[in-house]
């Protein structure tokens, strides 16, 4: 089966510019996650969708980050305006019904963002 | 507060030896734990998980041990191979009323010496 697809793979922008990332989860997976992974650290959950509804966005900097999941399938994550500290890899993951034993999340390859 | 941490940020082992990667967690209410492997330029990949009512679980060449008394988790890799070189993350799952929340630790980099 096809994995989680993300694009672009790499992006370099100047601070205060805008950027958007796209994610196509595994077909049929109800839960979609966006993680931010700063170099040398573990992934940090930004937002979690169940179908097209948000179940957790407690760590999403809502003044500059936004995310949507239209029709409960694809998702986009946007940063506007970007700051230097946003430089990281942005990972998208999906799972059939949310985390639980034997329902692990599958991760995409990520988008590496560099803000200069 | 919430935190999952690792004792060893880097680990080098000889090919063929066994590897042990350790992890400390702080939330005694976590109901299960997951180990992920992340190779350079890729997303994390599930290795094995263990429920909080278990103390050991085995997979193919991997064993996870859970000691709830001291809130410690370890991943043992038997006969380590060059392909095992990666960053390993432990993660703990906090079960909420309507959804689960997974918190990742900082990771341990494993290097296998041929």
């Amino acid at each position: 089966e096809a994995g989680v697809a993300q694009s672009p793979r790499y992006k370099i922008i100047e601070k205060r510019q805008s950027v958007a990332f796209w994610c196509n989860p595994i077909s049929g997976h109800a839960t979609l996650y966006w993680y931010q992974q700063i170099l040398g650290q573990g992934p940090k959950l930004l937002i979690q969708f169940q179908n097209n509804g948000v179940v957790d966005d407690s760590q999403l900097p809502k003044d500059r980050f936004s995310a949507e999941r239209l029709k409960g399938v694809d998702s986009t994550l946007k940063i506007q305006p970007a700051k230097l500290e946003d430089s990281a890899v942005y990972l998208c993951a999906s799972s059939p019904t949310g985390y639980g034993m034997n329902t692990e999340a599958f991760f995409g390859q990520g988008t590496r963002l560099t803000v200069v | 507060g919430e935190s999952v941490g690792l004792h060893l940020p880097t680990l080098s082992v000889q090919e063929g030896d066994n590897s042990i990667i350790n992890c400390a967690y702080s939330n005694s209410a976590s109901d299960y734990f997951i180990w992920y492997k992340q190779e350079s330029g890729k997303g994390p990949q599930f290795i094995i998980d263990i429920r909080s009512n278990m103390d050991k679980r085995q997979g193919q060449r991997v064993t996870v041990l859970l000691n709830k008394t001291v809130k410690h988790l370890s991943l043992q890799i038997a006969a380590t191979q060059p392909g095992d070189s990666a960053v390993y993350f432990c993660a703990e799952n906090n079960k909420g009323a309507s959804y689960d929340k997974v918190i990742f630790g900082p990771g341990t980099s494993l290097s296998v010496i041929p």
Side-chain angles (χ1 to χ4, degrees):
Chain A
E1 83 186 342
V4 176
Q6 290 188 246
S7 67
R9 284 296 313 276
Y10 307 94
K11 190 74 177 179
I12 301 174
I13 62 172
E14 295 182 348
K15 59 184 179 182
R16 292 187 288 274
Q17 284 188 322
S18 303
V19 64
F21 312 127
W22 173 82
C23 173
N24 179 230
I26 293 173
S27 178
H29 280 193
T31 307
L32 185 147
Y33 316 81
W34 281 104
Y35 286 86
Q36 179 192 59
Q37 186 175 25
I38 293 173
L39 185 64
Q41 298 182 16
K44 182 183 84 170
L45 180 68
L46 292 176
I47 189 166
Q48 179 175 338
F49 293 93
Q50 185 73 17
N51 295 309
N52 61 348
V54 176
V55 296
D56 189 337
D57 63 357
S58 57
Q59 297 196 84
L60 186 74
K62 299 180 186 63
D63 58 333
R64 299 185 299 105
F65 286 64
S66 64
E68 61 181 4
R69 189 183 185 195
L70 298 176
K71 301 181 181 178
V73 183
D74 292 5
S75 178
T76 56
L77 176 70
K78 297 179 181 178
I79 308 175
Q80 179 180 11
K83 293 185 176 181
L84 295 177
E85 59 260 35
D86 298 331
S87 294
V89 174
Y90 290 85
L91 294 162
C92 179
S94 70
S95 66
T97 57
Y99 278 104
M101 287 290 288
N102 302 317
T103 59
E104 77 268 17
F106 295 85
F107 284 80
Q109 289 189 300
T111 295
R112 181 177 296 278
L113 173 68
T114 303
V115 183
V116 298
Chain B
E2 301 172 332
S3 69
V4 177
L6 291 171
H7 293 163
L8 297 173
T10 60
L11 179 65
S12 294
V13 298
Q14 204 72 38
E15 181 179 357
D17 288 351
N18 296 335
S19 302
I20 300 176
I21 301 171
N22 295 302
C23 175
Y25 65 94
S26 62
N27 189 346
S28 57
S30 295
D31 64 343
Y32 84 99
F33 305 85
I34 313 159
W35 280 100
Y36 279 93
K37 173 186 180 182
Q38 187 173 26
E39 296 176 278
S40 181
K42 298 183 179 180
Q45 181 181 16
F46 173 90
I47 301 173
I48 191 169
D49 54 11
I50 186 169
R51 199 184 298 275
S52 61
N53 63 356
M54 303 168 68
D55 53 19
K56 181 179 180 179
R57 193 171 190 216
Q58 288 185 293
Q60 188 176 16
R61 278 201 310 119
V62 295
T63 301
V64 56
L65 299 178
L66 175 62
N67 185 332
K68 293 181 290 295
T69 302
V70 295
K71 296 180 186 173
H72 184 268
L73 193 69
S74 69
L75 176 70
Q76 300 178 3
I77 304 173
T80 311
Q81 302 169 359
D84 295 327
S85 293
V87 177
Y88 290 80
F89 295 97
C90 71
E92 60 178 322
N93 182 76
N94 297 326
K95 193 164 187 61
S98 59
Y99 68 96
D100 293 349
K101 185 169 184 176
V102 171
I103 301 167
F104 282 77
T108 292
S109 177
L110 175 66
S111 294
V112 181
I113 304 166

